[in-house]
């Protein structure tokens, strides 16, 4: 059990907090990590398997739709959904697998894990997973760990984490990752993309960041894309930002039962893993003016999400009277999904008040799993709030999961 002052001093000493009440990075402290219920472990194993198969299938599906977009409206629509998420980066379908995928999971009232999002091209959760694990380093992790995946990439070399200016909020977390990896003998540098005047194209790099748009960043973007073209193996993440679009969840889920989409999806998900995906993913549909899928929403409570969104920006708990649903269902091309609303259970978890007293409250949780390229579970953590709209906020808890 960690004492309140011990936790506060850790945050101050390592530099994650600048003061005891650092509002930018403040969250509610807890005396112990989250002990993950045993019944979740086989579910996490299933989710690792289905995420690896999901990535394999969507690469084949996207390639097929790109090649046949001129001949079929549905294929063209799927190709556009993927292209929306590229953010001006090249459209590639490399053979190499995604090394670490962040999967956000809800926990329903029957203790089932349900997939809210498969965040394939967003490594920003990695520093937080390492940071939380470092706080409670005296408690063994039940998982194989993110650090070894990074070590296998870095080998004996150093590598860089280059971030877009719109990600600068996370620079403090990136520097914590730099510190933690350094203690493990792994050298990592951190750079804003505007600092790439002396970029070494032969150096190893985590990822070409998504969201590069400011004029002063464009030269850095060109340099990174050129470096990727010349040696993609120098980048830990293959250049596949399109894999993170939520619209693909709507395609593979096919919650409306569109027969043409069903035939297409079945071609790329032979075997039982399509059923596994649909077991853990709430029914999801793509919304547009022309698509019949929007009719699935009537009479339901659902979560409306933009295909490209971050956190709770672009996410609403809605029904068909919601203003944002009316907007989504009148756009010619699909840029939103609707996902069946999941009633979540709560967990009693102890926490510290601002004065350092231990209290217990019921928390809604997001369990975040980090899945390796072959479907192995690398790590898990939880974020919790006392309201169902769980996200990182000053009133949230954040904890690593232990057995």
């Amino acid at each position: 059990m960690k004492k309140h002052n011990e936790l506060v001093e850790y945050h101050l000493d390592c530099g994650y907090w600048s003061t005891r009440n650092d509002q930018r990075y403040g969250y509610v402290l807890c005396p112990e990590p989250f002990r993950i219920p045993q019944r979740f472990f086989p579910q996490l194993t299933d989710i690792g398997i289905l995420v690896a198969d999901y990535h394999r299938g969507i690469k084949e599906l996207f390639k097929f739709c790109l090649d046949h977009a001129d001949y079929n409206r549905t294929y063209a629509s799927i190709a556009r959904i993927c292209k929306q998420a590229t953010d001006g980066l090249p459209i590639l379908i490399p053979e190499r697998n995604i090394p670490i995928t962040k999967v956000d999971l809800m926990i329903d009232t029957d203790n089932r894990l349900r997939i809210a999002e498969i965040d394939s091209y967003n490594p920003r959760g990695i520093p937080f997973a390492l940071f939380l694990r470092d706080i409670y380093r005296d408690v063994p992790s039940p998982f194989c760990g993110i650090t070894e995946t990074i070590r296998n990439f870095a080998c004996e070399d150093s590598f860089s984490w280059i971030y877009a200016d719109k990600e600068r909020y996370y620079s403090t977390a990136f520097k914590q990752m730099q510190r933690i990896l350094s203690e493990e003998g792994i050298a990592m540098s951190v750079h804003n993309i505007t600092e790439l005047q002396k970029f070494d194209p032969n150096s190893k790099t985590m990822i070409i960041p998504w969201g590069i748009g400011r004029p002063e960043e464009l030269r850095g973007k060109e340099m990174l894309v050129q470096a990727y073209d010349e040696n993609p193996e120098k980048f830990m993440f293959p250049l596949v930002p399109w894999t993170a679009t939520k619209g693909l969840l709507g395609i593979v889920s096919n919650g409306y039962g569109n027969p043409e989409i069903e035939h297409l999806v079945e071609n790329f998900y032979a075997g039982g893993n399509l059923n596994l995906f649909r077991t853990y993913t709430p029914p999801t549909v793509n919304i547009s003016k022309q698509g019949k899928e929007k009719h699935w929403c009537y009479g339901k409570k659902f979560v409306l999400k933009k295909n490209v969104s971050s956190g709770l920006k672009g996410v609403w708990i809605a029904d068909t009277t919601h203003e944002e649903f009316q907007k989504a269902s009148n756009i010619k091309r699909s840029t939103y999904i609707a996902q069946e609303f999941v009633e979540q259970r709560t967990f009693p978890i102890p926490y510290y008040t601002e004065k350092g007293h231990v209290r217990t409250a019921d928390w809604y949780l997001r369990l975040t799993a980090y899945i390796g390229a072959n479907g192995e579970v690398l790590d898990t953590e939880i974020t919790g709030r006392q309201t169902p709209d769980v996200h990182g906020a000053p009133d949230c808890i954040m904890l690593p999961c232990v057995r």
Side-chain angles (χ1 to χ4, degrees):
M1 179 171 176
K2 300 284 186 183
K3 295 180 179 179
H4 184 256
N5 280 345
E6 181 184 1
L7 290 169
V8 171
E9 291 304 317
Y10 170 89
H11 286 74
L12 292 171
D13 290 346
C14 72
Y16 186 68
W17 287 353
S18 58
T19 68
R20 294 178 69 89
N21 297 302
D22 190 335
Q23 293 302 308
R24 277 179 62 79
Y25 302 105
Y27 65 103
V28 178
L29 301 177
C30 295
E32 55 192 28
F34 178 68
R35 300 200 175 273
I36 189 167
Q38 186 62 35
R39 58 182 168 268
F40 290 166
F41 284 95
Q43 295 186 59
L44 286 167
T45 298
D46 282 349
I47 288 166
I49 292 168
L50 76 85
V51 167
D53 194 59
Y54 170 78
H55 284 140
R56 179 201 57 75
I58 61 173
K59 285 196 291 187
E60 296 175 6
L61 188 151
F62 182 35
K63 185 179 187 306
F64 177 86
C65 289
L66 277 177
D67 292 344
H68 296 84
D70 292 339
Y71 311 107
N72 182 287
R73 181 180 295 177
T74 298
Y75 303 161
S77 175
I78 294 171
R80 280 196 299 269
I81 286 171
C82 294
K83 290 177 181 178
Q84 289 169 1
T86 59
D87 194 46
L89 292 169
I91 299 172
L92 301 176
I93 309 176
E95 291 297 319
R96 192 154 53 98
N97 294 328
I98 297 167
I100 304 174
T101 298
K102 173 175 165 286
V103 183
D104 290 333
L105 302 165
M106 302 168 285
I107 305 168
D108 72 14
T109 53
D110 293 323
N111 288 307
R112 294 183 302 167
L113 300 179
R114 312 300 301 281
I115 294 173
E117 182 174 358
I118 299 177
D119 212 350
S120 308
Y121 199 76
N122 176 12
R124 290 196 302 255
I126 295 173
F128 292 99
L130 293 180
F131 179 71
L132 295 174
R133 189 67 62 189
D134 191 56
I135 296 174
Y136 301 91
R137 64 171 69 183
D138 52 325
V139 183
S141 169
F143 303 105
C144 53
I146 291 171
T147 303
E148 288 309 305
T149 302
I150 295 172
R151 190 190 305 279
N152 290 337
F153 165 71
C155 296
E156 300 300 320
D157 302 323
S158 62
F159 75 101
S160 300
W161 188 306
I162 298 166
Y163 62 92
D165 194 61
K166 70 181 296 181
E167 299 177 295
R168 62 187 181 277
Y169 168 85
Y170 299 96
S171 62
T172 297
F174 300 153
K175 289 173 182 175
Q176 290 301 314
M177 179 175 171
Q178 181 184 34
R179 171 185 64 81
I180 293 165
L181 291 181
S182 176
E183 294 171 3
E184 294 286 338
I186 303 170
M188 168 182 141
S189 58
V190 181
H191 305 284
N192 189 301
I193 195 170
T194 59
E195 304 169 347
L196 294 189
Q197 298 88 344
K198 298 181 180 179
F199 174 68
D200 179 2
N202 295 313
S203 67
K204 291 187 174 180
T205 308
M206 173 69 77
I207 194 169
I208 298 181
W210 194 93
I212 306 168
R214 298 189 176 188
E216 63 270 25
E217 298 178 295
L218 297 183
R219 176 56 184 150
K221 178 179 180 179
E222 292 173 3
M223 294 169 68
L224 288 174
V225 171
Q226 181 179 346
Y228 188 94
D229 285 341
E230 293 172 356
N231 196 344
E233 299 296 326
K234 290 287 185 179
F235 290 77
M236 183 172 179
F237 277 73
L239 187 55
V240 287
W242 59 268
T243 59
T245 177
K246 297 175 181 65
L248 282 169
L249 292 181
I251 297 300
V252 181
S253 171
N254 192 24
Y256 182 68
N258 181 309
E260 186 176 18
I261 291 177
E262 189 67 11
H263 178 72
L264 179 66
V265 170
E266 286 180 346
N267 282 340
F268 296 103
Y269 289 93
N273 289 340
L274 179 57
N275 289 335
L276 198 62
F277 175 90
R278 291 173 176 173
T279 296
Y280 286 99
T281 305
T284 306
V285 299
N286 293 84
I287 305 298
S288 68
K289 183 176 182 178
Q290 294 177 320
K292 295 180 179 179
E293 283 80 1
K294 62 186 176 183
H295 300 307
W296 172 88
C297 299
Y298 285 88
K300 291 185 176 72
K301 184 180 181 181
F302 52 86
V303 181
L304 185 69
K305 306 178 184 181
K306 287 187 174 180
N307 288 353
V308 180
S309 60
S310 178
L312 283 187
K313 296 176 181 177
V315 177
W316 303 267
I317 296 174
D319 58 25
T320 52
T321 65
H322 195 283
E323 179 182 358
E324 201 67 28
F325 175 81
Q326 297 298 321
K327 176 181 175 181
S329 59
N330 280 290
I331 296 174
K332 183 178 179 181
R333 295 177 176 177
S334 175
T335 55
Y336 293 72
I337 62 167
Q339 188 176 72
E340 183 177 83
F341 180 81
V342 172
E343 292 288 351
Q344 302 171 77
R345 65 157 292 187
T346 59
F347 289 78
I349 298 175
Y351 69 98
Y352 283 116
T353 67
E354 290 182 3
K355 294 184 178 180
H357 302 303
V358 177
R359 299 285 186 269
T360 298
D362 290 330
W363 302 84
Y364 294 93
L365 303 182
R366 282 289 181 278
L367 195 157
T368 300
Y370 296 89
I371 307 299
N374 297 317
E376 64 275 29
V377 181
L378 302 176
D379 206 351
T380 58
E381 63 178 276
I382 60 108
T383 301
R385 293 185 83 202
Q386 294 181 42
T387 54
D389 56 335
V390 180
H391 64 284
D395 63 349
C396 82
I397 56 173
M398 297 191 297
L399 296 168
C401 296
V402 299
R403 196 178 286 275

